[in-house]
Amino acid sequence: MKKQRLLIPLLFITVAILLSACGEKELEDPLEWEIDNISGTTQAGEDFAVDDMEGKVWLANFIFTSCDTVCPPMTRNMTKIQDQLEEEGIEAEIVSFSVDPEVDTPEMLKEFAQAQDADFSNWSFVTGYSQEEIEEYAQDSFGTVAQKPEGAEQVSHGSSFFLVDKNNEVMKHYKGETDVPYEQIIEDAQILADQ
C-alpha cells in the first residue's frame, strides 16, 4: 500500500515533465551557422564585440549610411520588429553592421539610425573595422555579400535579417527589405529566448 502511495505522485510528476517537454517549440530547419568574432565601435562610441553577444538572442543585418536603395527601408522594417519584440516582452538585441566602415563614423550611424526611429536601448549600429574585414565577415559568418568596388560610393550587400541564438549561431535568415515575415521572426525569436 505504501509503495502505491509513493508511485502515484511519482507517476503524476513524470507525466507532467513529459507534457511540459512536449510543449517546447523547436525552430523549423535551423541553419546552425557558427559565426566568428568581429570587434568595432557603436553609434555611441562604445566598444563592441560579437563574442560579448553570447548568451543573448539577437538579430543582425548589414547597412551603410549613404545607401540610396535598401538600407533606409530595411532599417525601418527592423524598427517594426524592435517594437514587436518589446510588445511581446521578448528579450533580444539588434546589431546593424556598417558595410562602409571607412565612411560611416559612429556619429553618422547615430544620425542615420535616429532618422529611421531606431531605439538604442537594445540596438547597436557598428563600425570601426576595415572594409576587408567586414566583407570577409559578412561572407564567412553570414553567407551574404558585402562588396565596395574600388572608387565606388555605393556598397553591394545582402538585405537579409539574421536571427542568432545564445550560442552565437545563425539559426534563421529572412527577407529584410520587402515582404518581411514579421510574425515568423517574432515567433522564432520567442522560441530561442525560451531556450
Side-chain angles (χ1 to χ4, degrees):
M1 195 69 174
K2 277 187 176 182
K3 277 186 180 175
Q4 279 182 321
R5 276 196 220 139
L6 286 173
L7 282 175
I8 291 171
L10 195 60
L11 185 66
F12 277 114
I13 290 167
T14 306
V15 170
I17 289 169
L18 288 172
L19 287 174
S20 69
C22 293
E24 273 187 39
K25 284 189 168 185
E26 293 286 322
L27 277 188
E28 220 174 281
D29 302 319
L31 299 170
E32 298 177 340
W33 297 343
E34 286 184 31
I35 58 175
D36 295 322
N37 186 43
I38 192 169
S39 299
T41 308
T42 70
Q43 77 285 345
E46 295 169 350
D47 290 341
F48 174 90
V50 164
D51 280 356
D52 294 339
M53 299 300 289
E54 200 162 329
K56 300 174 182 178
V57 173
W58 53 289
L59 285 150
N61 72 335
F62 295 86
I63 54 98
F64 66 107
T65 62
S66 60
C67 176
D68 58 16
T69 54
V70 299
C71 299
M74 272 173 56
T75 306
R76 285 192 295 275
N77 293 343
M78 190 69 91
T79 301
K80 288 180 190 170
I81 293 168
Q82 185 181 38
D83 291 343
Q84 290 175 21
L85 288 168
E86 188 179 356
E87 283 169 26
E88 296 297 323
I90 301 168
E91 279 195 43
E93 302 280 319
I94 302 170
V95 180
S96 292
F97 295 99
S98 169
V99 291
D100 198 8
E102 286 153 26
V103 173
D104 287 344
T105 62
E107 296 77 21
M108 288 170 76
L109 284 172
K110 186 175 184 179
E111 197 175 300
F112 172 83
Q114 287 172 327
Q116 315 308 323
D117 290 327
D119 174 357
F120 298 125
S121 63
N122 64 333
W123 193 343
S124 298
F125 288 76
V126 185
T127 188
Y129 30 71
S130 71
Q131 186 66 39
E132 186 181 349
E133 281 178 304
I134 194 61
E135 288 182 7
E136 283 179 14
Y137 187 70
Q139 183 61 58
D140 295 348
S141 289
F142 290 88
T144 191
V145 70
Q147 221 165 22
K148 187 174 186 180
E150 194 73 38
E153 285 186 19
Q154 294 294 296
V155 182
S156 298
H157 65 95
S159 60
S160 293
F161 292 162
F162 300 90
L163 181 62
V164 184
D165 73 0
K166 294 174 185 176
N167 300 314
N168 275 352
E169 288 188 351
V170 176
M171 300 303 276
K172 288 286 193 177
H173 65 85
Y174 316 89
K175 292 178 75 170
E177 182 192 357
T178 56
D179 303 320
V180 179
Y182 295 106
E183 283 179 25
Q184 189 65 58
I185 293 170
I186 298 303
E187 186 180 316
D188 291 347
Q190 181 72 73
I191 291 169
L192 294 184
D194 288 345
Q195 290 178 348

